[in-house]
Amino acid sequence: MSESEEEVQVIPMPKFRIKFTDMPDDKQEKCIRLCDEANKKHKLDKEVCSEIQKMIHAEPLLHDPQAGWHVIVGQHFASSITYKTKCVIFFELFHEIPKSFLIFKTE
């Protein structure tokens, strides 16, 4: 391997299933990875939500100072939301305890 070639380590995606989204693929992947990381750090759903909020505000791809991101985490919930187009994802992460994540942006 030459000096100009760098080894790029690809971190595998966690096991997940998208239930609904209209987000671009790059934002979907970022949201799923952020949620997986926060879920591994914390046990309580409210702590996971707070951590995801902090991570979204620190992430340049997702940060928007004029709009608010909302995060809902749990095993069983229902919702009816109004959101900004191309800014919603609803998915499940399959860990020891499967959890659903709903992340959306409003104006």
Side-chain angles (χ1 to χ4, degrees):
M1 188 177 289
S2 68
E3 290 178 20
S4 63
E5 294 179 18
E6 292 182 24
E7 264 188 61
V8 177
Q9 183 180 9
V10 178
I11 300 170
M13 290 287 286
K15 289 185 180 182
F16 67 94
R17 178 179 65 193
I18 294 178
K19 294 181 176 184
F20 175 77
T21 189
D22 67 353
M23 265 188 191
D25 290 342
D26 57 338
K27 288 184 178 183
Q28 285 180 33
E29 181 179 343
K30 183 54 76 176
C31 284
I32 292 167
R33 290 184 185 278
L34 290 178
C35 291
D36 182 52
E37 185 180 332
N39 197 41
K40 287 177 181 175
K41 284 183 186 177
H42 302 285
K43 298 279 184 204
L44 298 176
D45 292 345
K46 68 179 186 175
E47 292 173 351
V48 174
C49 284
S50 296
E51 183 70 21
I52 293 168
Q53 281 282 2
K54 289 176 191 172
M55 295 167 104
I56 286 173
H57 289 295
E59 177 58 47
L61 181 64
L62 299 171
H63 181 68
D64 184 353
Q66 292 146 1
W69 282 98
H70 303 272
V71 180
I72 302 170
V73 178
Q75 290 180 309
H76 305 285
F77 60 87
S79 65
S80 176
I81 61 171
T82 303
Y83 61 91
K84 185 175 176 183
T85 306
K86 304 281 187 204
C87 294
V88 65
I89 185 168
F90 181 38
F91 67 97
E92 290 180 305
L93 279 180
F94 299 109
H95 288 286
E96 312 84 50
I97 300 171
K99 288 186 184 177
S100 294
F101 295 80
L102 174 60
I103 301 174
F104 62 99
K105 187 189 319 188
T106 58
E107 289 187 344

